[in-house]
Amino acid sequence: MPIRPPHRSGDDPHPDLAPVAFLLGTWRGEGTGEYPTVARFGYAEEVRVGHVGGRFLTYAQRTWAPDTGLPMHAEVGYLRPGGPGRVELVVVQPSGITEVDEGTVVGTSITVSSRAVGHTSTAKEVTAVTRSFVLTGDSLTVSLSMAAVGHPLTGHLTAVLRRTN
Amino acid sequence: MPIRPPHRSGDDPHPDLAPVAFLLGTWRGEGTGEYPTVARFGYAEEVRVGHVGGRFLTYAQRTWAPDTGLPMHAEVGYLRPGGPGRVELVVVQPSGITEVDEGTVVGTSITVSSRAVGHTSTAKEVTAVTRSFVLTGDSLTVSLSMAAVGHPLTGHLTAVLRRTN
């Protein structure tokens, strides 16, 4: 008999995920990027947040050029409750970067900062990251600041997304 | 007009991916796990390796209990060429672990070791990981050793997979 992966939809999220369950869904929208080393740019973004019954959310993001549709960035990871009011986010980027981020969830606002950033030998050096996910009405504002290639923590990306499902 | 993500299939893999392109596909099979702290156990595994046109492979793995179908483990990441004969693998686990792994590709054999393992405040402490992916005929053997919770680098997981597509 062929090996088949289990059916995974239909379960309720783990009860410990209640404080962060507002992130569940597929979100799309547009954003703006800037950094001291690059010209200001626009992008389209999709963020997918799901669960598989365990005590974590799955996170997958990708961006593309609004005009050409060409892929720009992508990243994947997991979001974990870290105790009352606390959130842990682990993220990996195809540029060879890993992040261990920790912070708070207050209402529908999550803010995390890196406690460790890893990078492969050929990756650009990113030394710190701060991320936020803030739901206001129907709009999820996703922001990222980073310290990289010698610059201190500086605003880099902000996008406003809406749930598509 | 609604924002839609770009169509991403149909592109050829980036030419730099040729040495690791043997991993492309969806692989399934069964494995065995052991560690000084746990009883020997069996698992079913799926590994999906893809590309989106960029200079990296996407990697997604999950395991489940062969008898009940209940999810056991999952992880996601990216595999990058790191120069001639070199491979970089960044992986993130829902248990709150990040890995920056580096090593070699020789023929259809990839072996990488962690140069950095990150973990969130509530994660178990894993201090080192070695992974291998070896294609022999139609069989992809996937192995993982780890140093964790005070034990030195010790064999933990081995599975034999076959391509399903």
Side-chain angles (χ1 to χ4, degrees):
Chain A
M1 205 175 73
I3 294 162
R4 297 202 178 283
H7 180 69
R8 296 192 301 174
S9 60
D11 293 334
D12 287 329
H14 190 289
D16 289 358
L17 296 177
V20 292
F22 71 89
L23 281 179
L24 282 165
T26 298
W27 304 82
R28 289 188 193 135
E30 296 196 321
T32 305
E34 57 189 343
Y35 207 68
T37 54
V38 297
R40 194 177 168 90
F41 61 95
Y43 59 93
E45 178 168 20
E46 178 185 80
V47 169
R48 284 179 292 130
V49 178
H51 78 96
V52 294
R55 205 174 158 279
F56 59 90
L57 296 177
T58 58
Y59 165 81
Q61 181 260 31
R62 57 190 173 126
T63 64
W64 60 93
D67 47 353
T68 63
L70 287 174
M72 292 174 67
H73 179 76
E75 58 190 32
V76 287
Y78 301 99
L79 191 142
R80 297 157 49 86
R86 301 287 301 172
V87 174
E88 302 176 350
L89 177 68
V90 283
V91 176
V92 65
Q93 304 182 27
S95 52
I97 302 288
T98 64
E99 292 172 42
V100 175
D101 299 338
E102 297 191 1
T104 58
V105 52
V106 178
T108 56
S109 178
I110 291 172
T111 306
V112 294
S113 295
S114 55
R115 58 176 253 153
V117 180
H119 54 94
T120 64
S121 298
T122 65
K124 279 190 190 147
E125 191 170 9
V126 175
T127 50
V129 177
T130 296
R131 293 172 180 266
S132 65
F133 302 85
V134 178
L135 181 65
T136 310
D138 294 336
S139 296
L140 182 68
T141 301
V142 178
S143 304
L144 184 148
S145 296
M146 70 175 180
V149 292
H151 292 275
L153 198 65
T154 304
H156 177 39
L157 303 168
T158 302
V160 179
L161 314 179
R162 284 172 181 265
R163 197 182 261 118
T164 64
N165 63 347
Chain B
M1 205 175 75
I3 294 162
R4 297 202 176 281
H7 181 69
R8 295 192 302 176
S9 62
D11 293 335
D12 288 329
H14 191 288
D16 288 356
L17 296 177
V20 292
F22 71 89
L23 282 179
L24 281 165
T26 298
W27 304 81
R28 290 189 194 136
E30 295 195 325
T32 305
E34 57 191 342
Y35 207 69
T37 53
V38 297
R40 194 177 168 90
F41 61 94
Y43 59 93
E45 178 167 18
E46 178 184 79
V47 170
R48 285 179 292 132
V49 178
H51 78 94
V52 293
R55 205 173 158 280
F56 58 90
L57 296 177
T58 58
Y59 165 80
Q61 182 260 29
R62 57 189 172 128
T63 64
W64 61 95
D67 47 353
T68 62
L70 286 175
M72 293 174 68
H73 179 77
E75 57 189 34
V76 288
Y78 302 99
L79 192 143
R80 298 156 49 86
R86 301 286 302 171
V87 174
E88 301 177 348
L89 178 68
V90 283
V91 176
V92 65
Q93 305 183 25
S95 51
I97 302 289
T98 64
E99 291 173 43
V100 176
D101 300 337
E102 297 190 2
T104 58
V105 53
V106 179
T108 56
S109 179
I110 292 172
T111 305
V112 295
S113 296
S114 54
R115 60 176 250 153
V117 180
H119 54 94
T120 64
S121 299
T122 66
K124 278 190 190 146
E125 192 170 7
V126 175
T127 50
V129 177
T130 297
R131 295 171 178 264
S132 67
F133 302 85
V134 179
L135 182 66
T136 310
D138 292 337
S139 296
L140 181 67
T141 301
V142 179
S143 305
L144 184 148
S145 297
M146 69 175 180
V149 292
H151 293 274
L153 198 66
T154 304
H156 177 40
L157 303 168
T158 302
V160 179
L161 314 179
R162 284 172 181 266
R163 197 182 262 118
T164 64
N165 63 349

